Amino acid sequence: MLEAATMAIDNLLVPTRLMYLFIGVLMGLALGAIPGLGGLVGLAILLPFTFDMDSFEAFAIMIGLISVTSTSDTIPSVLFGVPGTSASQATILDGHPMAKKGEAGRAFGGAYMASLLGGLFGSLILALSIPVLRPIVLAFGSPEFFMLGLLGISMVAVLSGNAPVKGLIAGAIGLCVGMVGMDPQTGVLRWVFGQLYLWDGVPLVPVALGIFAIPEIVDLTIRGTRIADVPKERLQGVLIGIRDTFRNWFLVLRCGVVGVFVGAIPGLGASVVDWFAYGHAIQTEKGANETFGTGDVRGVLAPEAANNAKEGGALIPTIAFGVPGSASMALLLGAMTIQGLTPGSAMLTKDLAVTYTMIWSLAIANIFGTVACMLLTNTLAKIAMVRINLLTPLVVVIVVLASFQATRHWGDLWSLLFFSLLGWFMKRFSWPRPPLILGLVLSGIIENYLFISISRYGATWMLRPIVMIVMVLIAVSLYYGIRNARKQQELQKSREAQIEHEQSGGADEA
């Protein structure tokens, strides 16, 4: 373990790889400061450029990007009351009131330092988990990994909003898209419709760009306005916020634990981690019920520590079991596929140096990101002043070139167009998109493990203890996900009926 960790840091400290890491950090900071984009779009754009990189360079730039979007997304949350990403929603509750009171610098100082400590804590937990996970993963066989793949899709599906059935359908569509092309076991062509382009399957890159990047750009372009104006005065009080972080070190540590735990649960991740931490702070901090929501710095420290720690937690199931902790991790799995890496036992044995490279990249990227944010906050804030209409042509050109880079075939552009339309309609009609891309990423792994399981064990593979436990987990997650969705729908209908009744009663009285 120690030898692999030392080898990884030696590999990462090569100047070109550090340069890639720093480029990823700068991209992540810029994307986090623009509300509505975030790391998912950046990863989708970066994915095709990893073809010509080695594993260390590829994961350095990608980990660098996703590590710091939760650091710079504090800027629009505090200054404008607009979340930069879904992981910074709770930061608004106290961060924006602090800015209104002239304490924006203090909020930023606390947020940046809490983000740094949370990110380093997540890296530490990820590193410490490897010796524990290694014997567990090595005890798993093809049946267990097949069931874990299904568990990942089911968890992401049922936790992607109030429509778990839509999430399951989207995951199934992703599996079907992944089965296009030549059967790896029999060589039979499936759903290629006479197109040579489809013989090797649908490339991941055009699908990811079409499903995630283009719909977000189109949505922002339709709105077409700048987010807000940046305050003219310099942001003061950063050092006070840093001291606040160390005065409340135990709160930051606890929220770091919350972030790692939530990040490690597939399907939860960014959408809820800040609320979990914020709720924990309200329940445990003295006087929080009276001061939270009015500009209490502790209300900034809690979510910011958690949302940076979540990346270390999300990498644990992604690397060890091939079950992504979030949509970003699904794209990271795609990068593993491009690099010829297989999640699971291989990442904890022969490719252990690559795994430790991710850990070191996560830690160093958080340091780079925090220092850069402290130096460039005013500059990054001005990004939000640019009208998205001016950025759209540049972003679309990059997306098209990135898509064509996948296989350098004109079919990539048709795939991009098709999946862009599909992604737009899914966004427009509230269909969750992460399950689709996850189904595509895991389809080859799931099919391969299923074939091996049946060939080696026959039907008895379903009677293995871990397989049966995972089956129960899938059934329980689907049951509670669908039941909670129905309860929320019934509650929404009752609220609408009550509002309609009150309005009609008021009209009768008039």
Side-chain angles (χ1 to χ4, degrees), residues 147-415:
M147 292 305 302
L148 285 172
L150 294 184
L151 176 65
I153 294 177
S154 67
M155 290 287 285
V156 172
V158 300
L159 293 170
S160 5
N162 298 329
V165 175
K166 289 182 179 179
L168 289 174
I169 294 173
I173 292 172
L175 287 174
C176 291
V177 172
M179 292 179 183
V180 172
M182 187 179 293
D183 187 315
Q185 277 78 40
T186 65
V188 174
L189 295 175
R190 305 176 296 193
W191 302 336
V192 298
F193 306 107
Q195 300 297 317
L196 184 63
Y197 169 72
L198 296 175
W199 278 33
D200 290 329
V202 180
L204 173 65
V205 172
V207 179
L209 290 170
I211 291 293
F212 291 116
I214 295 295
E216 299 300 334
I217 295 300
V218 170
D219 190 50
L220 288 173
T221 304
I222 289 173
R223 283 188 279 167
T225 57
R226 66 182 60 172
I227 303 300
D229 292 325
V230 178
K232 295 180 180 179
E233 68 273 8
R234 297 289 298 176
L235 298 170
Q236 305 295 328
V238 172
L239 292 177
I240 299 175
I242 294 174
R243 287 197 293 268
D244 288 331
T245 306
F246 288 104
R247 275 199 295 266
N248 295 279
W249 66 270
F250 191 46
L251 171 64
V252 172
L253 177 63
R254 297 198 312 270
C255 290
V257 174
V258 171
V260 171
F261 178 76
V262 174
I265 300 175
L268 285 182
S271 58
V272 297
V273 64
D274 55 333
W275 295 112
F276 273 50
Y278 194 83
H280 169 74
I282 289 179
Q283 294 169 357
T284 58
E285 288 296 295
K286 184 177 180 181
N289 289 323
E290 291 77 25
T291 60
F292 272 42
T294 63
D296 190 324
V297 71
R298 294 174 297 175
V300 174
L301 301 179
E304 290 302 312
N307 62 28
N308 272 56
K310 78 178 187 302
E311 302 301 343
L315 278 168
I316 294 173
T318 305
I319 293 172
F321 304 107
V323 179
S326 64
S328 298
M329 294 298 130
L331 292 180
L332 203 66
L333 271 182
M336 290 184 189
T337 304
I338 291 173
Q339 294 294 326
L341 301 171
T342 303
S345 58
M347 293 298 293
L348 302 181
T349 51
K350 66 175 184 177
D351 297 318
L352 189 59
V354 179
T355 300
Y356 274 108
T357 298
M358 296 184 190
I359 298 172
W360 283 114
S361 297
L362 189 64
I364 296 173
N366 274 282
I367 297 172
F368 278 175
T370 300
V371 173
C373 273
M374 289 183 177
L375 296 175
L376 302 173
T377 291
N378 286 278
T379 303
L380 289 169
K382 292 176 182 177
I383 295 177
M385 294 182 64
V386 179
R387 287 186 177 275
I388 193 64
N389 295 347
L390 300 177
L391 294 177
T392 297
L394 175 61
V395 175
V396 169
V397 168
I398 293 174
V399 167
V400 172
L401 290 176
S403 178
F404 188 71
Q405 177 75 9
T407 64
R408 295 178 176 85
H409 192 287
W410 289 107
D412 292 334
L413 301 183
W414 288 108
S415 296

